Amino acid sequence: MLQYDNSAFYFFALSTISFYILPSWYSIFKRIISAIRVDDEAVGAVSRTSAEKEKAEQLKKESRAANTLKSQGFLVNLGITSVLTLIFIWLLISVSQDGQVNSFDPFSILQIDAGADNKTIKKAYRSLSLKYHPDKNPGDRAAEAMFMMVSKAYEALTDETARENWEKYGNPDGKQSLEVSIGLPSFLLDSKNRNLVLVAYLLFMVVLIPYFVWRYYSDSSKYGEKNVMYDTYSWFHHALNENSIVKALPEVLAGSAEFRKRNIPKTAEQKQAIATLMNAVRGSMQKPKFNHPVCVKGNVLMHAHLLRQTEVLAKMEQEKDDLKYMLRMAPSLIDAMISVCKHQDALQTAINCIELGQYVTQAMWVKDSPLLQIPHFTAEEVAQCEKGATKVSTIKEYCAIPENERKGLSKFSDQQKKDVRDFLKIFPDITVECKVFVDDDEDDQVYENDLVTVQVKITRNNLADGEKAGLTHAPKFPFPKREAFWIILGQLKEGKIISIEKVLNPNKNVVHQIKFMAPPKGTYHFDLVVKSDGYVGIDETQRVEMVTLDASSLPEYKVHPDDAVLDDEPTLFEEMLNAHIEKDSDDEDEDSDDEDDNHPKSAAAKKKEQLRKARQNADDDDDSDSDAEEVYADK
């Protein structure tokens, strides 16, 4: 008889729980250790200049246990793992006390000592049989099962045959092929727990499982590529067009769905704080196109960052946190804006979005000089560099000046001067080369419908051989950002995009290939634009010319005779199909022969039959052709 086995349930539960708690505790301890032993490079806390020191210290602080271990996901997992661990310990204790998987033990069932005499056995049997008798426990399946076990145990101890079977095979019924028990706790059979078990089952099956499925589906259905919400993509499609200028893009970014719950002002103090910020940045803002509070707040916060006026936020903790959240999401959202521009074939707007990403990274705006990227430089140092006979306006020009002739350093300390030198060493100095060709082509010409490859090679001249580019130097941007380039091929005047891709390769030499089908015969001019993802002022633009020739001028392709023969041969599928058709044809011929035996043939039918036979024997009989001619002659 099958019975509910507590010990088997303990082992099953221990095995099941261990599948979760063992990897979970490993992950928890690994995260705790990584939070205590912070790897500076792994979290981007690298300070190559003193200007980056504050940013590096803040990244370290956020990566320590006090912050890393406060995340909601970590705390929920820790709570679940702790509860399951307590259950696991309780099950271990239960197994240690009753660790043997249920086997038939009549002495244990009758609750008497092993080797008890017959009098004790009978007394225990009477007591337990009265206690668990079905008439005294109507509807109690546990009592009914126990009554049967008591009767079986009594039989095993009093009947000689049953006792011999039990001692020899472990079962009073003799040798059993398989012993099976149900690995569930016995309290499930208790009628007192029936309602509780039913409620727990309904709660699990009807409430918890549908809720988690709904939660997973609702969350996953909100997000598209780059983990950006679908509502954000819809907003970008609505707000962006081929005429969008750079100064209007912060407002578009501020309207992203990711900011709508966070950036809604909830109190009068928050509204007043936004109004104060608006007064500080209004002069550099494009006239707002959208008056929704979310767009207004996000636009003002983003301009405070771009204009380096975040000191106004010193006493506005909520606004400061909101701006930091916006900057955290900005890189992926700007990438999404570029992908929307690519879909709309708005080339200039895509370039403007890339420039927005540069400005956000360096905390600069459209009228600012690229020299502001140099550590400790302000408008005063920039003004000194932009006047005089040796005036410069870009960092590349500033690098070319001998160190002792560089302007803007007169008030700098030795450490600040060292920061400038270190920055100029890591600032990208690139050379762009372009080549147009067709793979596996016998000449260097391009013909219409060829698969054309435009190969772009970017060389970082500031790196040594084997050296890799590190993080973008961006002290004002609170998160680490890898150095990358956008490579764009298109036609600026026509606004047509052929390819626009982000290249993250950190090597000294970066090779990127763009493939597309050659257009019809003619001369075409394309614009190749290489733009940095995080630095301002190192962009390169080249004009690419491509002459497409008429495909009819190509020499005629002659098929080799052997290849022509192979083309005429049937494929394996065709051979199998023909064999099947011939077999069916033979079967029909046999059927027709049988019919001919039973029915007289007309003269026309006889001539037709003679012609068919002549054709069948054409390959075997050299005289078959003359037979066929005689048949035709009879006509």
Side-chain angles (χ1 to χ4, degrees):
M1 172 187 173
L2 291 177
Q3 54 183 313
Y4 281 55
D5 190 345
N6 287 332
S7 298
F9 170 72
Y10 297 153
F11 284 108
F12 171 74
L14 283 171
S15 302
T16 304
I17 294 175
S18 65
F19 282 118
Y20 181 87
I21 64 172
L22 291 180
S24 180
W25 277 121
Y26 173 78
S27 175
I28 290 171
F29 283 121
K30 184 178 179 181
R31 186 163 182 177
I32 292 174
I33 293 172
S34 63
I36 296 173
R37 301 176 182 176
V38 179
D39 185 354
D40 294 348
E41 189 173 352
V43 299
V46 179
S47 56
R48 295 157 294 184
T49 65
S50 60
E52 286 186 314
K53 188 175 181 180
E54 182 180 352
K55 173 182 175 180
E57 290 297 330
Q58 184 64 28
L59 288 172
K60 287 181 184 179
K61 182 179 178 181
E62 292 175 355
S63 301
R64 290 183 185 131
N67 295 285
T68 304
L69 305 183
K70 289 192 301 184
S71 64
Q72 182 179 358
F74 176 80
L75 294 177
V76 170
N77 180 53
L78 179 61
I80 295 174
T81 305
S82 300
V83 172
L84 291 178
T85 302
L86 293 176
I87 297 174
F88 187 86
I89 295 172
W90 175 77
L91 290 171
L92 280 178
I93 296 173
S94 301
V95 166
S96 64
Q97 296 175 350
D98 184 20
Q100 185 178 1
V101 177
N102 199 8
S103 59
F104 186 80
D105 183 2
F107 294 105
S108 176
I109 295 173
L110 294 175
Q111 302 176 10
I112 56 177
D113 297 331
D117 55 17
N118 289 337
K119 183 178 180 180
T120 305
I121 294 172
K122 291 180 180 180
K123 182 178 179 181
Y125 169 68
R126 292 193 195 97
S127 175
L128 293 175
S129 61
L130 290 174
K131 180 180 178 180
Y132 295 108
H133 198 283
D135 293 341
K136 290 189 176 182
N137 301 277
D140 191 341
R141 294 178 58 193
E144 181 180 352
M146 190 61 187
F147 177 78
M148 296 179 66
M149 292 298 296
V150 168
S151 300
K152 195 172 184 179
Y154 178 71
E155 181 185 5
L157 296 177
T158 56
D159 184 80
E160 293 183 1
T161 304
R163 186 171 187 126
E164 181 181 357
N165 288 333
W166 169 66
E167 292 175 347
K168 188 174 182 180
Y169 303 111
N171 192 298
D173 296 331
K175 186 176 181 180
Q176 303 293 309
S177 58
L178 181 65
E179 294 184 4
V180 179
S181 60
I182 302 175
L184 291 173
S186 57
F187 76 84
L188 294 177
L189 284 174
D190 193 342
S191 59
K192 297 178 182 178
N193 301 326
R194 190 170 299 167
N195 293 334
L196 178 63
V197 172
L198 181 60
V199 170
Y201 175 80
L202 291 176
L203 181 65
F204 182 76
M205 297 297 295
V206 180
V207 178
L208 293 180
I209 291 181
Y211 170 76
F212 286 117
V213 171
W214 168 80
R215 183 67 180 270
Y216 171 79
Y217 175 77
S218 61
D219 289 345
S220 61
S221 62
K222 293 179 181 178
Y223 294 90
E225 295 180 3
K226 300 179 177 67
N227 205 29
V228 174
M229 299 178 71
Y230 286 114
D231 287 347
T232 299
Y233 279 106
S234 178
W235 162 253
F236 290 159
H237 275 282
H238 167 72
L240 293 173
N241 56 60
E242 65 275 7
N243 299 317
S244 298
I245 61 176
V246 178
K247 296 187 70 173
L249 296 180
E251 185 179 22
V252 177
L253 179 64
S256 302
E258 283 78 359
F259 306 144
R260 292 174 187 172
K261 289 184 179 179
R262 193 179 186 100
N263 281 354
I264 193 79
K266 300 179 179 64
T267 63
E269 290 78 7
Q270 293 179 357
K271 294 179 181 179
Q272 182 59 40
I274 297 303
T276 303
L277 279 175
M278 175 71 80
N279 294 330
V281 301
R282 187 189 301 272
S284 301
M285 286 179 59
Q286 181 81 358
K287 183 179 179 181
K289 185 178 179 181
F290 307 99
N291 293 322
H292 194 279
V294 172
C295 294
V296 174
K297 178 180 177 179
N299 193 15
V300 169
L301 290 176
M302 190 57 66
H303 274 85
H305 169 73
L306 295 170
L307 300 172
R308 299 189 177 185
Q309 297 187 17
T310 52
E311 65 276 358
V312 184
L313 300 174
K315 297 182 180 180
M316 305 176 185
E317 293 298 329
Q318 182 62 48
E319 284 69 24
K320 189 188 297 184
D321 291 341
D322 293 341
L323 174 59
K324 191 171 184 179
Y325 178 76
M326 291 183 67
L327 294 177
R328 181 192 296 273
M329 300 297 298
S332 59
L333 293 175
I334 292 175
D335 287 355
M337 293 170 68
I338 296 169
S339 67
V340 169
C341 294
K342 180 180 179 181
H343 182 267
Q344 294 179 344
D345 210 17
L347 176 56
Q348 187 57 54
T349 304
I351 293 175
N352 293 341
C353 291
I354 295 173
E355 292 178 356
L356 174 66
Q358 297 174 353
Y359 292 137
V360 170
T361 303
Q362 297 297 334
M364 296 169 52
W365 202 213
V366 290
K367 293 183 179 181
D368 291 335
S369 169
L371 297 175
L372 282 177
Q373 298 172 96
I374 301 175
H376 316 298
F377 264 50
T378 62
E380 181 181 350
E381 285 75 26
V382 171
Q384 294 177 16
C385 296
E386 291 180 341
K387 66 182 180 180
T390 58
K391 63 180 180 179
V392 295
S393 58
T394 66
I395 295 181
K396 189 172 183 179
E397 294 173 349
Y398 191 79
C399 289
I401 299 175
E403 185 175 348
N404 56 354
E405 298 180 12
R406 290 172 182 166
K407 297 180 180 181
L409 305 178
S410 57
K411 297 181 180 180
F412 282 13
S413 65
D414 292 340
Q415 178 61 47
Q416 290 175 326
K417 292 178 181 178
K418 181 179 181 300
D419 290 341
V420 173
R421 290 194 300 269
D422 292 340
F423 169 78
L424 296 179
K425 290 178 182 178
I426 63 176
F427 189 80
D429 175 21
I430 64 171
T431 301
V432 178
E433 302 174 63
C434 180
K435 179 182 178 182
V436 181
F437 60 91
V438 177
D439 289 331
D440 302 328
D441 203 0
E442 296 179 356
D443 54 24
D444 295 332
Q445 305 298 327
V446 178
Y447 297 89
E448 53 185 344
N449 296 324
D450 276 349
L451 182 61
V452 181
T453 300
V454 177
Q455 180 172 288
V456 182
K457 182 180 180 181
I458 303 174
T459 303
R460 291 183 171 99
N461 302 314
N462 59 302
L463 297 181
D465 292 338
E467 187 180 0
K468 294 182 181 295
L471 298 173
T472 302
H473 186 275
K476 303 292 185 181
F477 189 75
F479 303 101
K481 188 173 184 180
R482 291 287 174 186
E483 188 176 305
F485 290 98
W486 286 94
I487 299 178
I488 308 165
L489 183 67
Q491 294 175 319
L492 290 172
K493 184 178 291 187
E494 293 79 4
K496 180 178 178 59
I497 297 176
I498 295 177
S499 173
I500 176 169
E501 294 185 49
K502 187 177 184 179
V503 180
L504 299 170
N505 190 336
N507 295 326
K508 175 181 175 66
N509 296 311
V510 180
V511 177
H512 179 71
Q513 292 186 342
I514 303 170
K515 296 181 181 292
F516 61 96
M517 297 300 295
K521 177 183 177 181
T523 301
Y524 299 88
H525 293 91
F526 303 102
D527 296 294
L528 175 66
V529 183
V530 178
K531 300 184 75 69
S532 172
D533 184 53
Y535 290 109
V536 179
I538 63 170
D539 306 334
E540 294 281 343
T541 302
Q542 292 186 7
R543 194 75 168 165
V544 179
E545 180 178 297
M546 185 180 73
V547 178
T548 305
L549 303 179
D550 191 351
S552 61
S553 61
L554 289 169
E556 183 181 356
Y557 177 74
K558 296 182 179 180
V559 180
H560 193 276
D562 293 342
D563 293 335
V565 173
L566 290 175
D567 290 340
D568 293 336
E569 290 185 358
T571 63
L572 178 62
F573 174 76
E574 290 173 339
E575 290 180 353
M576 296 175 62
L577 183 63
N578 291 336
H580 180 69
I581 294 175
E582 291 177 0
K583 182 178 179 181
D584 292 344
S585 176
D586 293 342
D587 293 341
E588 293 176 359
D589 293 340
E590 292 177 0
D591 294 340
S592 63
D593 291 342
D594 294 339
E595 293 176 358
D596 293 342
D597 293 341
N598 298 328
H599 301 281
K601 298 180 181 179
S602 63
K606 289 180 180 181
K607 291 180 180 179
K608 186 177 180 180
E609 179 64 20
Q610 291 176 2
L611 179 59
R612 182 184 64 78
K613 289 182 177 180
R615 288 176 177 173
Q616 286 182 348
N617 297 327
D619 295 334
D620 300 330
D621 189 357
D622 294 335
D623 298 333
S624 58
D625 292 338
S626 60
D627 294 340
E629 292 175 359
E630 292 177 1
V631 173
Y632 280 111
D634 291 342
K635 293 181 180 180

